[in-house]
Amino acid sequence: MAKKISTKVLTDLHLNMVRIRRFEEEAGKLMEDGKIPGALHLYVGQEAVASGVMAHLNNQDQITSTHRGHGHVIAKGGQFSPMFAELYGKATGYCKGKGGSMHISNMALGILGANGIVGGGPPIAMGAAFSNKFRKSKQVSVTFFGDGASNEGSFHEAANMAALYQLPCVFVCENNGFGEYTAQSNHQAVTDVADRAAGYGMPGVVVDGMDVMAVYEAAEAAVKRARSGAGPTLLECKTYRYYDHVGVRGMGLTYRTDEEVEAWKQRDAIESFEALLVKQGVMTQKKLDNVYARVDADIQEGIAFAESSPFPTEDDLLEDVYFVGAKS
Amino acid sequence: MSEAVQKNARMLPYVSAITEGVQQVLREQDNAFVAGEDVGQAGSVFGYYQGLLAEFGDRRIVDTPISEKGIIGLGVGAAATGCRPIIDVMFMDFLGECMDEVANQMAKMRFMFGGGATLPITVLTMAGAGMNLAAQHSQSWEAWLAHLPGVKVVMPSNAYDAKGLIIAAARDDNPVFVVLNKMSLAMPAEVPEEMYEVPIGKAQIVKEGTDFSIFGIGRMVHEALAAAKTLEELGVNCEVVDVRSIQPFDSETAVASIKKTHRALIVHEAVRFGGFGGEIVAQLQEQAFDYLDAPIARVGAPFSPVPYSPALEQVYIPNAGRIVTEVKKVLGL
């Protein structure tokens, strides 16, 4: 570690990664057991990115997320009970069961939604950043997107406008090597998405997305730059998803090898960070075990909450299509 | 159209009514701004933002790149976080560049978030044929938008409604598309100087009649009025209804009219097939079947892209003559 970082920051980074990992493992099982309907895109393997970036944001700062959004929501302060309830389609979910995994959001936490459209987030985050600057609020918006989304026109338009207006925005590309089932080398000629930053007039930074401290430090600079009014940064985090594009085992498509998955697991962000924390005396194995026990208790509580919650009723269907009420 | 004609009424062209509506909204709402292509330095290619940059500065009159996805995204993100953006999509045809941001983001965000997000966005966009601008600068796509739960769509046919609907849209806490018409820009109407709203979701009877209801959308209201005049000479007393609000659609006014006249025709500039007229027909037969004395007629553009040549465009755009022909057909005249 380049500089002294407080124990609190280190343990929070670890806790968030574990919360994401365990949530996703359980959510994946519940989906495959048929208890959670629909499709879940799970974040296992990429935890260092959400945890490292979100450590620099407050509740007023905004994010836009992706179809693989649970990790971002958890790291931004999302609670397990309303998250599980949303995945179950229950009325007590973050979106009253109307959004589900791909649209999970919470405005009070600054989460402007997961997004089922690849490339859907960047223009919205750019708009939030425009609003932050317009309102002189000192808030920062961060948009998470993948290597696949970096080929969408929406990303290019948002990046160009964010740089043009010097908006308080950070573009975090989670390059996990695949746009759905298509390898990066088959969907773009560049190796580093961050190279594209030059074309917009913003800095581009590449960082090891399996190293939470590397993400933490790079994100600190990018968020600081945005908050100071100096404009956006494109931060590319090289990472990997251990599970399939959808679900855990997925559809069994032959687009990558088991050896490749295993090689990335050898560089697991959580395991390597835990080894570091123990080595530095920040954590002991006992303390680590306690973290997992606490997180697992939270998960069981969240699942129980979701399972015991009511489904929305037909009367709820047409609510929230439009704002109805007193005009502002 | 003015409900009460006053002495010394001030006449204003459609284009200036747009300007005045936006200007008054910006004076009223500190968190409102205009963003779009050529809105600032140029004052819009249609001229309706002339002078606004000088009054409000470039913080609130924001020139954007030619990036419709970005422009709508800017509006969605800003509206969700405390602003009241007025977004300009120069030609309605350009919605093709940003239909994801409109249909999958703007329209659905509130619902998907379980009511968590409120999006007070006004989108001004220019529709209509008649200026030989060919297939990609002349279309009327209101039916596309009306099919999207979560957005409202209005089409002012005159200067009074243009100003009043822009103000109502800007004060509404939902996304509202105000679909303007480029052939109407010079058309004057009485427009009061004070701020006023034309209610969204209300049609207006612009001419009372007893024998036949003609429902006009946008500029076609004027063709409907011209047709009504011709038909008057043939002894047919037509009622002309300005639909004005596409979503929500004012079926109450429409049904009341047909209960009086028992016959109806709908006219819009959009292609007839799949056009909004079909929805009006469906609602009328559902809600007033027993009052109908004849099939409901529709006049719209033929099923082709808008042609360039003046010779072709003239026959393409619906007009009073075609309305008269169809009404006569229904009546067996």
Side-chain angles (χ1 to χ4, degrees):
Chain A
M1 273 166 261
K3 59 181 174 180
K4 182 77 184 148
I5 292 168
S6 76
T7 300
K8 170 90 170 80
V9 168
L10 296 173
T11 52
D12 279 355
L13 286 170
H14 175 254
L15 175 63
N16 268 331
M17 287 200 292
V18 173
R19 281 172 64 83
I20 296 169
R21 173 72 54 95
R22 292 293 302 122
F23 181 93
E24 294 293 67
E25 287 173 344
E26 291 305 311
K29 279 184 213 156
L30 291 164
M31 175 191 162
E32 296 205 335
D33 289 349
K35 291 194 171 178
I36 289 175
L40 302 187
H41 303 82
L42 300 163
Y43 196 70
V44 175
Q46 302 182 202
E47 295 88 347
V49 181
S51 304
V53 172
M54 239 66 84
H56 304 289
L57 304 184
N58 58 49
N59 274 358
Q60 285 71 50
D61 292 329
Q62 307 104 346
I63 63 163
T64 63
S65 176
T66 69
H67 54 289
R68 202 173 305 289
H70 306 163
H72 306 130
V73 174
I74 292 168
K76 193 74 171 59
Q79 298 302 301
F80 288 164
S81 290
M83 284 188 73
F84 273 120
E86 189 60 32
L87 301 193
Y88 272 77
K90 297 296 183 75
T92 53
Y94 268 133
C95 308
K96 304 181 193 167
K98 290 177 174 174
S101 167
M102 278 192 280
H103 308 296
I104 195 161
S105 73
N106 185 269
M107 297 300 284
L109 294 171
I111 301 165
L112 297 175
N115 210 306
I117 303 295
V118 171
I124 296 169
M126 180 272 291
F130 182 93
S131 163
N132 296 341
K133 186 173 181 179
F134 184 89
R135 293 179 292 107
K136 303 180 173 73
S137 71
K138 290 288 170 197
Q139 290 158 283
V140 169
S141 80
V142 176
T143 179
F144 293 90
F145 59 98
D147 47 305
S150 75
N151 296 330
E152 290 277 11
S154 55
F155 162 67
H156 296 278
E157 295 190 12
N160 179 56
M161 289 171 75
L164 174 70
Y165 301 132
Q166 274 202 300
L167 299 181
C169 195
V170 181
F171 291 79
V172 178
C173 178
E174 296 188 69
N175 183 346
N176 66 12
F178 293 90
E180 294 201 9
Y181 302 97
T182 299
Q184 189 197 358
S185 59
N186 279 345
H187 76 62
Q188 55 192 185
V190 292
T191 304
D192 294 333
V193 174
D195 286 352
R196 294 183 172 173
Y200 309 118
M202 69 170 85
V205 179
V206 181
V207 69
D208 179 0
M210 304 304 276
D211 178 347
V212 70
M213 291 317 300
V215 175
Y216 176 86
E217 283 168 17
E220 181 173 32
V223 171
K224 199 173 275 179
R225 179 180 147 83
R227 212 180 295 281
S228 73
T233 301
L234 172 51
L235 174 60
E236 178 183 7
C237 305
K238 306 278 194 188
T239 185
Y240 201 78
R241 64 168 157 74
Y242 298 170
Y243 291 176
D244 213 42
H245 168 61
V246 180
V248 180
R249 295 184 300 270
M251 298 193 290
L253 302 176
T254 54
Y255 66 102
R256 63 180 189 183
T257 63
D258 293 344
E259 291 72 26
E260 181 181 306
V261 179
E262 277 311 310
W264 278 91
K265 284 183 177 174
Q266 294 307 309
R267 303 186 50 237
D268 185 69
I270 298 177
E271 281 178 23
S272 59
F273 191 52
E274 288 177 348
L276 184 75
L277 292 176
V278 170
K279 190 176 153 203
Q280 297 202 330
V282 177
M283 294 288 263
T284 60
Q285 189 55 49
K286 190 163 186 295
K287 281 184 178 171
L288 290 174
D289 292 344
N290 285 342
V291 169
Y292 282 88
R294 213 167 72 222
V295 169
D296 284 350
D298 276 1
I299 284 174
Q300 290 315 314
E301 190 184 313
I303 293 170
F305 174 82
E307 293 192 340
S308 64
S309 288
F311 278 108
T313 67
E314 203 177 330
D315 291 343
D316 302 320
L317 181 61
L318 295 182
E319 293 288 319
D320 306 319
V321 177
Y322 289 96
F323 174 91
V324 181
K327 286 180 180 176
S328 352
Chain B
M1 210 152 284
S2 174
E3 265 98 14
V5 178
Q6 300 162 3
K7 273 187 188 168
N8 306 318
R10 185 184 64 147
M11 300 300 283
L12 214 58
Y14 194 91
V15 62
S16 307
I18 298 168
T19 314
E20 193 168 274
V22 172
Q23 182 183 40
Q24 291 180 347
V25 166
L26 291 172
R27 286 175 183 168
E28 179 182 78
Q29 302 173 353
D30 290 340
N31 52 354
F33 63 85
V34 175
E37 295 154 9
D38 299 332
V39 301
Q41 294 292 343
S44 133
V45 298
F46 302 106
Y48 53 70
Y49 298 125
Q50 294 284 342
L52 297 191
L53 180 64
E55 179 176 349
F56 298 103
D58 62 7
R59 177 173 170 267
R60 300 185 69 199
I61 307 293
V62 183
D63 274 322
T64 66
I66 301 174
S67 300
E68 287 81 6
K69 299 171 205 22
I71 296 166
I72 296 288
L74 191 159
V76 173
T81 56
C83 293
R84 302 187 71 86
I86 298 171
I87 299 298
D88 192 273
V89 176
M90 187 189 287
F91 284 85
M92 190 175 206
D93 315 68
F94 302 169
L95 284 178
E97 282 283 359
C98 52
M99 209 52 182
D100 179 69
E101 283 67 27
V102 170
N104 279 323
Q105 315 295 342
M106 179 198 288
K108 295 177 173 59
M109 189 186 258
R110 180 176 181 80
F111 181 85
M112 294 189 301
F113 292 9
T118 302
L119 298 175
I121 307 175
T122 300
V123 183
L124 301 188
T125 190
M126 190 60 76
M131 295 175 79
N132 314 121
L133 295 175
Q136 297 169 343
H137 291 74
S138 305
Q139 298 168 92
S140 296
W141 276 349
E142 68 277 3
W144 255 25
L145 297 174
H147 197 58
L148 294 172
V151 301
K152 298 182 180 182
V153 189
V154 295
M155 284 183 85
S157 68
N158 61 79
Y160 179 90
D161 286 354
K163 177 177 167 181
L165 284 168
I166 285 170
I167 291 167
R171 287 174 175 170
D172 197 295
D173 281 339
N174 290 286
V176 183
F177 282 79
V178 182
V179 181
L180 304 164
N181 183 276
K182 58 178 82 70
M183 290 297 282
S184 307
L185 288 167
M187 190 185 291
E190 186 208 329
V191 177
E193 279 178 52
E194 67 266 20
M195 256 184 127
Y196 62 89
E197 288 185 35
V198 166
I200 295 168
K202 291 279 175 222
Q204 194 188 21
I205 297 167
V206 291
K207 179 192 170 300
E208 300 247 13
T210 52
D211 304 334
F212 208 107
S213 298
I214 306 177
F215 297 94
I217 294 179
R219 189 176 74 78
M220 288 298 112
V221 170
H222 305 288
E223 297 297 324
L225 284 166
K229 207 170 173 192
T230 305
L231 289 160
E232 200 88 59
E233 289 157 14
L234 301 173
V236 182
N237 182 8
C238 290
E239 176 144 303
V240 178
V241 181
D242 184 343
V243 173
R244 206 158 64 174
S245 182
I246 307 297
Q247 180 57 258
F249 170 63
D250 180 4
S251 60
E252 205 176 309
T253 298
V255 166
S257 180
I258 203 129
K259 283 184 176 175
K260 188 162 66 168
T261 64
H262 310 291
R263 292 173 185 82
L265 175 146
I266 296 120
V267 55
H268 53 59
E269 233 193 279
V271 289
R272 206 175 90 118
F273 188 102
F276 192 70
E279 175 66 27
I280 298 178
V281 172
Q283 294 210 18
L284 290 175
Q285 64 86 16
E286 283 164 0
Q287 296 175 51
F289 185 77
D290 291 340
Y291 295 87
L292 287 172
D293 285 347
I296 301 169
R298 286 183 297 156
V299 171
F303 202 62
S304 95
V306 182
Y308 164 66
S309 166
L312 292 175
E313 196 181 32
Q314 284 304 311
V315 291
Y316 178 87
I317 304 170
N319 57 29
R322 274 166 55 197
I323 297 168
V324 170
T325 303
E326 292 303 316
V327 170
K328 283 164 72 177
K329 214 185 278 177
V330 172
L331 293 172
L333 296 174

